[in-house]
Amino acid sequence: MDWVNGIVQGVLVGGLFALFATGLSLIFGVMKIVNIAHGDLIVAAAYLAFTIIQLSGLHPVTSLVIVIPIATAAGYLLQTTILNRMLGKDILPPLLVTFGLSIIIQNVLLEIYSADSRRLRAGLIETGSFPLAPGIDIGYLPLMTFLAAVIVVAALQFVFYRTELGRAFRAVSDDPEASQLMGLDNRRIYGFAMALCLAVVAIAGIFLATRANFDPFMGPSRLIFGFEAVIIGGLGNLWGTLAGGVILGVAQAIGAQIDPGWQLLAGHVAFLVILAIRPQGLFPKGTS
Amino acid sequence: MMHEVTRATTTSRIALLGAVVLAIVLAAAPYWGSTANLRLLGEIMVYLALASLWNLLAGFSGLVSIGQQAYVGFGGYVLFTICIALGWNPLYAIPIAGLAAAPISVLVALLVFRLNGAYFAIGTWVVAEVFRLGFAQMSSLGGGSGLSLPINVMREMASTKAEREALIYWAALALGTGSVAIVYALLRSRIGLALTAIRDSEIASSSLGVPIRSIKLFVYVAVAAATSMIGALIFMQKLRIAPNAAFSVTDWTAFVIFMVVIGGIGTIEGPIVGTLLYFLLRQFLADFGSIYLIILGGLAIVTMMVAPKGIWGFFVSRSGISLFPVGYRVKLQDEVRVRRWKGERACRTQ
């Protein structure tokens, strides 16, 4: 039963990995860049929520009402002031700039909040659970995280394929020059994409911070988990990314059952195995 | 019209001469420098080597890796394995680390080369994490808490501390200057020509028969092997190893990237300028710890925004000076031209 329970919990954690991944996937889809600072932005959002909760006494989930708008505005500004200037044929500048940003965010958080690990307290949601079967308890928080991931993916899917903004995203992604000729302001569209990405980052940050302790240096490994979920699921497929997150979560859970030291390693190994045998991912674009 | 195609300029000949003189002065450092000086110079050489190699990878070959700490740490662990399990002279570990890393890096390349440009970067990082977590699982190598080099093993190298310090320093000097020299020689060879062609247009160069994949694989493996050799040396200097320090992305990749970007990515001189600037700034800012990293990161971002070819690239675009020329230049010979013109006129008047 330990094993079944471990795998069920792994599936639910997969929701969190999918939340890390969708923002990454969105940005790569729209402007073909990889934001190395993605994980650090998630951690920064967690610290922002931490401060807001300290000041206002809000519940972590309701603090999203404040955290999401701030994150969205920050995303738009980040894109329009810095990243837009780095876009072009060469992949080097955006990669190196976001790498620099990653190191800066980590150390600024360290200066402000110190290296102590923190946690958002969410009361009943955090500790409560209900039994699914004998020996398998589903926690409210992991379940909410998973549902949040499903809702985020569904919402992004809707935005991408059913709205005017989504059409603009697809247009600048397919052919930035033609879309500009059709009257789109690519730079603003990129700004909106990053704003949307940071809204997801804010949600991911809150769930990350409620689930476990966080500190200024845990961003890079969140980036890696998100990246692995994207590649396992297949580039450009958001539902695939959710599946990728679940596979990563289950692989880590299985690893942890074998030996606690194997938890992270098992996730990375699962990723490398899929990269070796199916480099396009399990559900590449076009199959969904 | 007569012309001459040359690589060397007067400046580059003076630079080469200066480099040779500097190398001789540096080689004599154990006779004129204090222990502290030797250690600082040794550390500069280590970073000079790492920066030059990363620049070859990212700046010249388009392989932006954030996972070179995998090979630094691997080299370090090769050193500890050889010293503790076999009791050999630690210096032997340097070439052995290179030889051991090469086949492993081929396997790694088979995986990470499946990821395109930007995702390649994170893929290499995952591999470095796998190395870190893997070595942390090996209890014979100290597991997560690491281990120290016993002094009797270090005595294999030389009996006195001063001799050991000098030997480690010379090894660092050889790897530092050697890395710059090898990168320079490689870029002047056919491989350098192929890399330039690939950088300018992958499609055009592949249609002209440039074997893109094997060239990139060769560079990746060569850099991995050299990085492992440096790793073995680094942990000979430190005498202690643990997975988190051995595979630290900040120490072995972030600092290196900042040096190269600020100095000038894609230029041979850039990593040298960047390394020197890094150590200069560190003398003033080391006490600030995380503030130093924030400043370096900020400088790197500003460099990318205003002068993507870094300090050296900016200097070259203003002055036209190149200390280590890789390309060719055409020089018209005025004297020859005048003589010939006079000759033609003489013919016509006859």
Side-chain angles (χ1 to χ4, degrees):
Chain A
M1 223 51 210
D2 270 2
W3 280 84
V4 180
N5 186 45
I7 290 170
V8 171
Q9 307 305 333
V11 170
L12 294 178
V13 173
L16 187 62
F17 295 158
L19 282 175
F20 298 155
T22 37
L24 204 60
S25 183
L26 170 75
I27 293 306
F28 187 79
V30 174
M31 49 191 128
K32 304 282 178 286
I33 67 169
V34 171
N35 180 4
I36 304 285
H38 189 74
D40 305 290
L41 289 170
I42 293 173
V43 176
Y47 275 105
L48 178 64
F50 176 80
T51 301
I52 287 171
I53 290 165
Q54 271 199 329
L55 294 177
S56 66
L58 284 171
H59 188 273
V61 177
T62 44
S63 75
L64 278 172
V65 181
I66 304 174
V67 178
I68 289 182
I70 297 177
T72 309
Y76 187 81
L77 280 177
L78 169 68
Q79 185 65 39
T80 46
T81 53
I82 300 177
L83 295 179
N84 270 344
R85 302 179 57 169
M86 295 295 134
L87 297 176
K89 199 176 65 122
D90 194 357
I91 60 151
L92 204 67
L95 210 58
L96 297 183
V97 164
T98 54
F99 183 77
L101 209 58
S102 154
I103 302 286
I104 292 178
I105 293 173
Q106 287 168 25
N107 288 284
V108 168
L109 290 177
L110 178 68
E111 283 294 314
I112 301 176
Y113 294 99
S114 84
D116 299 346
S117 60
R118 318 269 174 174
R119 184 153 186 186
L120 301 185
R121 293 291 165 197
L124 184 64
I125 295 176
E126 189 188 326
T127 51
S129 65
F130 63 89
L132 186 72
I136 304 176
D137 286 319
I138 302 286
Y140 293 131
L141 182 69
L143 185 64
M144 273 181 71
T145 312
F146 191 83
L147 291 178
V150 173
I151 294 169
V152 163
V153 168
L156 284 180
Q157 200 78 12
F158 177 79
V159 169
F160 244 76
Y161 294 102
R162 295 275 182 277
T163 65
E164 210 171 312
L165 182 64
R167 197 167 63 215
F169 284 160
R170 283 179 287 139
V172 293
S173 166
D174 287 347
D175 191 335
E177 274 138 34
S179 69
Q180 209 146 21
L181 288 174
M182 293 295 136
L184 281 180
D185 182 350
N186 289 4
R187 291 167 172 265
R188 269 187 68 211
I189 303 295
Y190 293 146
F192 291 144
M194 192 54 94
L196 193 58
C197 167
L198 273 250
V200 180
V201 157
I203 298 170
I206 300 259
F207 281 110
L208 167 76
T210 327
R211 184 175 167 271
N213 290 345
F214 61 100
D215 64 62
F217 294 108
M218 68 191 299
S221 49
R222 307 310 112 171
L223 165 77
I224 287 177
F225 294 157
F227 157 77
E228 288 176 335
V230 170
I231 301 290
I232 292 174
L235 279 179
N237 180 351
L238 284 174
W239 289 112
T241 300
L242 181 62
V246 168
I247 290 169
L248 187 61
V250 170
Q252 289 196 359
I254 292 173
Q257 286 289 330
I258 299 169
D259 179 326
W262 271 83
Q263 184 184 356
L264 297 179
L265 209 49
H268 295 321
V269 169
F271 159 74
L272 292 175
V273 166
I274 287 178
L275 190 61
I277 58 179
R278 205 176 150 83
Q280 72 274 36
L282 296 178
F283 315 101
K285 200 177 185 175
T287 56
S288 64
Chain B
M1 202 189 299
M2 286 289 284
H3 62 271
E4 194 188 358
V5 181
T6 61
R7 240 173 185 161
T9 60
T10 315
T11 332
S12 79
R13 287 194 193 95
I14 295 170
L16 197 62
L17 189 69
V20 171
V21 171
L22 186 65
I24 293 168
V25 173
L26 285 175
Y31 304 104
W32 54 258
S34 65
T35 310
N37 278 338
L38 273 194
R39 289 208 174 147
L40 179 65
L41 283 173
E43 207 190 343
I44 292 177
M45 284 301 145
V46 159
Y47 272 103
L48 180 64
L50 288 175
S52 295
L53 292 168
W54 188 80
N55 184 41
L56 174 64
L57 209 54
F60 288 103
S61 317
L63 295 166
V64 189
S65 165
I66 313 183
Q68 290 309 99
Q69 68 274 20
Y71 300 112
V72 172
F74 177 78
Y77 273 103
V78 168
L79 167 76
F80 276 69
T81 310
I82 281 177
C83 291
I84 291 174
L86 306 172
W88 289 0
N89 182 337
L91 285 174
Y92 296 167
I94 295 177
I96 294 172
L99 291 175
I104 285 177
S105 69
V106 173
L107 292 180
V108 170
L110 287 179
L111 283 175
V112 292
F113 275 32
R114 289 163 174 245
L115 297 161
N116 82 349
Y119 277 130
F120 170 83
I122 311 182
T124 58
W125 201 348
V126 172
V127 170
E129 280 296 288
V130 170
F131 275 50
R132 181 175 69 85
L133 294 165
F135 277 102
Q137 289 294 308
M138 292 186 193
S139 44
S140 58
L141 287 170
S145 46
L147 70 175
S148 301
L149 262 191
I151 181 70
N152 58 335
V153 175
M154 291 304 284
R155 289 218 179 92
E156 281 291 316
M157 194 153 78
S159 49
T160 71
K161 191 163 180 294
E163 277 177 288
R164 286 198 293 272
E165 296 270 354
L167 281 172
I168 292 175
Y169 167 75
W170 278 323
L173 182 67
L175 285 176
T177 52
S179 296
V180 177
I182 285 171
V183 170
Y184 183 38
L186 198 67
L187 288 172
R188 287 171 68 119
S189 72
R190 288 169 66 87
I191 289 172
L193 192 63
L195 287 174
T196 314
I198 296 170
R199 186 195 61 200
D200 290 346
S201 168
E202 273 204 21
I203 298 169
S205 53
S206 122
S207 72
L208 287 170
V210 176
I212 297 183
R213 226 187 120 80
S214 24
I215 295 264
K216 286 194 171 181
L217 182 67
F218 172 79
V219 172
Y220 183 80
V221 172
V223 168
T227 305
S228 281
M229 292 168 72
I230 300 162
L233 175 81
I234 289 172
F235 290 94
M236 210 182 295
Q237 292 170 330
K238 291 191 185 293
L239 299 172
R240 204 190 138 63
I241 199 164
N244 287 349
F247 300 99
S248 158
V249 66
T250 310
D251 287 350
W252 313 128
T253 299
F255 283 138
V256 170
I257 291 182
F258 291 154
M259 285 175 209
V260 176
V261 167
I262 295 169
I265 191 163
T267 64
I268 291 181
E269 298 86 344
I272 305 174
V273 175
T275 308
L276 293 178
L277 189 74
Y278 166 85
F279 280 94
L280 199 67
L281 278 177
R282 203 180 70 168
Q283 300 296 323
F284 300 107
L285 295 167
D287 297 340
F288 296 100
S290 57
I291 301 274
Y292 184 43
L293 268 167
I294 296 172
I295 292 175
L296 277 182
L299 269 178
I301 291 180
V302 170
T303 309
M304 255 356 239
M305 289 176 82
V306 300
K309 285 276 168 195
I311 295 175
W312 186 257
F314 184 76
F315 172 70
V316 170
S317 70
R318 291 293 163 96
S319 66
I321 286 174
S322 174
L323 296 185
F324 298 114
V326 172
Y328 288 94
R329 52 178 72 205
V330 178
K331 204 162 80 184
L332 294 175
Q333 288 184 319
D334 281 336
E335 206 188 323
V336 177
R337 199 160 57 193
V338 169
R339 210 183 300 143
R340 221 176 109 187
W341 179 76
K342 276 181 181 161
E344 273 173 22
R345 208 170 55 168
C347 286
R348 236 177 278 139
T349 49
Q350 269 182 349

